[in-house]
Amino acid sequence: MAKFLAKLLGCTLPSKGASPMCESKSHSRVGLKSSTKQKTTNLSTLASDCKKEQQWKPSMYSSITPICFTSPPIEKPIGKESMPQTPPFSAMFDSSGYNRNLYQSAEDSCGGLYYHDNNLLSGSLEALIQHLVPNVDYYPDRTYIFTFLLSSRLFMHPYELMAKVCHLCVEHQRLSDPSGDKNQIRKIAPKILQLLTEWTETFPYDFRDERMMRNLKDLAHRIASGEEQTYRKNVQQMIQCLIRKLAALSQYEEVLAKISSTSTDRLTLLKTKPQSIQRDIITVCSDPYTLAQQLTHIELERLNYIGPEEFVQAFVQKDPLDNDKSCYSERKKTRNLEAYVEWFNRLSYLVATEICMPVKKKHRARMIEYFIDVARECFNIGNFNSLMAIISGMNMSPVSRLKKTWAKVKTAKFDVLEHQMDPSSNFYNYRTALRGAAQRSLTAHSSREKIVIPFFSLLIKDIYFLNEGCANRLPNGHVNFEKFWELAKQVSEFMTWKQVECPFERDRKILQYLLTVPVFSEDALYLASYESEGPENHIEKDRWKSLRSSLLGRV
């Protein structure tokens, strides 16, 4: 059997870039419902799936072997005591949201910006940019800064916005005039520095563009060239903090690429040493509670690398008023978001692999019960993404068809978990649990109580439907800013959740296993399933023979 598994593993992982996805369909299983029907997809096809689905279904993607990193440091804001005070992300957006009845009462116009009940609803792009730039008597609210920096990339490149901001700061605030009023410069400099600090802290990945970094350094130099030593120190701290974050991101991406490129070599090693696959997850970590904690480490570390702008760039479409087609594709930078989706895939396939690998029925049943306990602890922690990945893996067809195995499993706890993640009524049960976890996080007294890790595919779909359901521009050409308030409200909640530090102790041995152990492909899972419990009909028999021939070279 060891030789069989070694051969199986040697043929299982899909080629680089492959991304099969599974959608829950009805299949028979003793005491349980659902299984999977496989099809090929990736992040770009998630949008097309959204258009076809009125009721969302849990989904899985192909397996990959990412690696675990130390989370990038969360730096303290620079010079806050002397800067305009702004609320934390959790307090940025009022829970009541914004009035959607836009035209039921008269609107107020102010410098090209239109308000309703004191809420900014729309404006020309130029007026919105002007509203972003501080002056001696004004500093924009943090909610506006975050919302505009997040949504403006739908209309212009970040480097173009930075160039406009620099121009307004230099020309309108007379930073370029050495004989200008030093008192005025002394008043405006800390506000401009604060705006740049907010930008570099919240959207650091924008500054991977050399044009962005060049403009940043130029404007920062103008601020620091005055007499105030504090400004120079704060500028240096801001740039050093930004460089550290970008260096951490580069390391993250380099190691991911290295792991992906060497996956074939590791499988070759397994072929020559079949005994190396005799370990299973229970051997490595016998305690399901510990495994749930280590999964939470991986989830939080990966969340931390996702920039808020990636949610917008994932579904970005051409602005009808933008004639620059040559550089438009540059905006679709979603690598960290995609890597996190791929982690969901890997965990789902890892669960299915661990269940299908054991030869004996009682061992498979024990593995199922083990993952049920892991999933339940993930729910208790607030790690809904790992919870759904585990449920998805257990609902894959090669696992769900193992009727004799499931007959030995006590499924009551699993039924409860499936009920919590039931996709009916737009995931009503899950959304209720998520709201409870979010409320617990707001009033938490410990790091453990602050953990909220959402079911990520559903979060992406929520943002997609918000983006598709409302136009970016109004008929008069103004930017539909009310839409972007709502978009920023969803993304800012995610920003709060991703900054939580994992309170659990790291176990490198367990993390290494979760992130690097080879997993079966879809075909290999089916073959292992048929080897464990034989085909039940002619279709399964024909597929079994085909898989044995193609994967094992047997008739």
Side-chain angles (χ1 to χ4, degrees), residues 165-228:
V165 169
C166 289
H167 173 76
L168 290 172
C169 288
V170 172
E171 299 301 324
H172 291 198
Q173 309 306 331
R174 303 186 67 181
L175 292 180
S176 60
D177 185 359
S179 62
D181 185 346
K182 291 187 177 181
N183 286 330
Q184 178 171 329
I185 295 176
R186 192 175 293 116
K187 290 179 181 179
I188 189 62
K191 294 183 179 181
I192 295 175
L193 176 59
Q194 174 66 11
L195 177 64
L196 296 179
T197 300
E198 299 243 17
W199 197 335
T200 57
E201 286 179 348
T202 312
F203 299 91
Y205 301 165
D206 285 350
F207 295 88
R208 302 184 87 179
D209 188 324
E210 291 182 1
R211 295 165 293 191
M212 287 285 293
M213 189 65 82
R214 188 164 54 246
N215 280 327
L216 172 68
K217 290 182 177 180
D218 178 66
L219 184 55
H221 174 72
R222 293 178 184 273
I223 294 173
S225 61
E227 300 175 358
E228 294 286 342

Side-chain angles (χ1 to χ4, degrees), residues 396-411:
M396 293 178 70
S397 296
V399 177
S400 64
R401 66 170 297 278
L402 299 173
K403 295 179 180 179
K404 295 177 182 178
T405 302
W406 281 101
K408 290 186 169 292
V409 175
K410 297 177 181 178
T411 61

Side-chain angles (χ1 to χ4, degrees), residues 47 50-51 315 317 462-471 483:
C50 290
K51 293 180 180 179
F315 302 118
Q317 295 179 354
D462 284 347
I463 293 174
Y464 172 83
F465 278 111
L466 173 60
N467 184 55
E468 287 292 297
C470 304
K483 166 184 175 177

Side-chain angles (χ1 to χ4, degrees), residues 231-301:
Y231 297 159
R232 284 196 286 272
K233 180 180 179 181
N234 288 345
V235 165
Q236 291 174 354
Q237 289 177 351
M238 175 185 69
I239 293 177
Q240 289 171 359
C241 170
L242 175 61
I243 291 173
R244 284 196 297 271
K245 287 183 178 180
L246 296 181
L249 175 64
S250 296
Q251 181 189 19
Y252 172 74
E253 292 177 341
E254 287 172 5
V255 178
L256 276 183
K258 183 178 180 180
I259 291 294
S260 179
S261 66
T262 58
S263 60
T264 303
D265 294 334
R266 292 201 302 276
L267 290 176
T268 302
L269 180 62
L270 281 175
K271 285 183 178 181
T272 60
K273 298 182 179 180
Q275 69 275 11
S276 64
I277 63 173
Q278 291 302 301
R279 289 190 311 164
D280 60 23
I281 188 65
I282 296 178
T283 304
V284 175
C285 178
S286 60
D287 181 14
Y289 301 100
T290 300
L291 187 70
Q293 293 172 359
Q294 299 309 303
L295 289 173
T296 303
H297 263 295
I298 297 172
E299 298 280 356
L300 288 174
E301 286 169 345

Side-chain angles (χ1 to χ4, degrees), residues 436-453:
Q439 186 61 37
R440 178 188 67 183
S441 178
L442 290 175
T443 59
H445 299 291
S446 67
S447 297
R448 178 178 178 129
E449 293 176 330
K450 291 181 181 179
I451 296 173
V452 183
I453 303 174

Side-chain angles (χ1 to χ4, degrees), residues 69-209:
F69 298 88
T70 302
S71 302
I74 301 173
E75 303 287 345
K76 293 183 178 180
I78 299 168
K80 286 285 187 183
E81 64 280 356
S82 61
M83 300 294 183
Q85 295 301 300
T86 54
F89 275 112
S90 59
M92 277 177 62
F93 295 90
D94 187 278
S95 60
S96 60
Y98 292 83
N99 190 350
R100 288 190 171 276
N101 300 317
L102 303 188
Y103 307 110
Q104 288 186 355
S105 62
E107 294 179 352
D108 299 320
S109 175
C110 180
L113 302 176
Y114 288 83
Y115 293 81
H116 177 77
D117 292 341
N118 294 321
N119 289 322
L120 175 61
L121 299 184
S122 69
S124 67
L125 190 58
E126 286 301 320
L128 291 169
I129 295 173
Q130 290 270 3
H131 196 54
L132 178 69
V133 179
N135 58 41
V136 173
D137 302 313
Y138 163 77
Y139 185 82
D141 185 82
R142 193 185 186 192
T143 57
Y144 179 79
I145 295 173
F146 178 74
T147 302
F148 186 69
L149 291 180
L150 178 69
S151 58
S152 63
R153 62 199 70 239
L154 291 171
F155 307 100
M156 62 196 307
H157 287 275
Y159 80 85
E160 294 172 322
L161 176 61
M162 173 61 85
K164 288 180 177 291
V165 169
C166 289
H167 173 76
L168 290 172
C169 288
V170 172
E171 299 301 324
H172 291 198
Q173 309 306 331
R174 303 186 67 181
L175 292 180
S176 60
D177 185 359
S179 62
D181 185 346
K182 291 187 177 181
N183 286 330
Q184 178 171 329
I185 295 176
R186 192 175 293 116
K187 290 179 181 179
I188 189 62
K191 294 183 179 181
I192 295 175
L193 176 59
Q194 174 66 11
L195 177 64
L196 296 179
T197 300
E198 299 243 17
W199 197 335
T200 57
E201 286 179 348
T202 312
F203 299 91
Y205 301 165
D206 285 350
F207 295 88
R208 302 184 87 179
D209 188 324

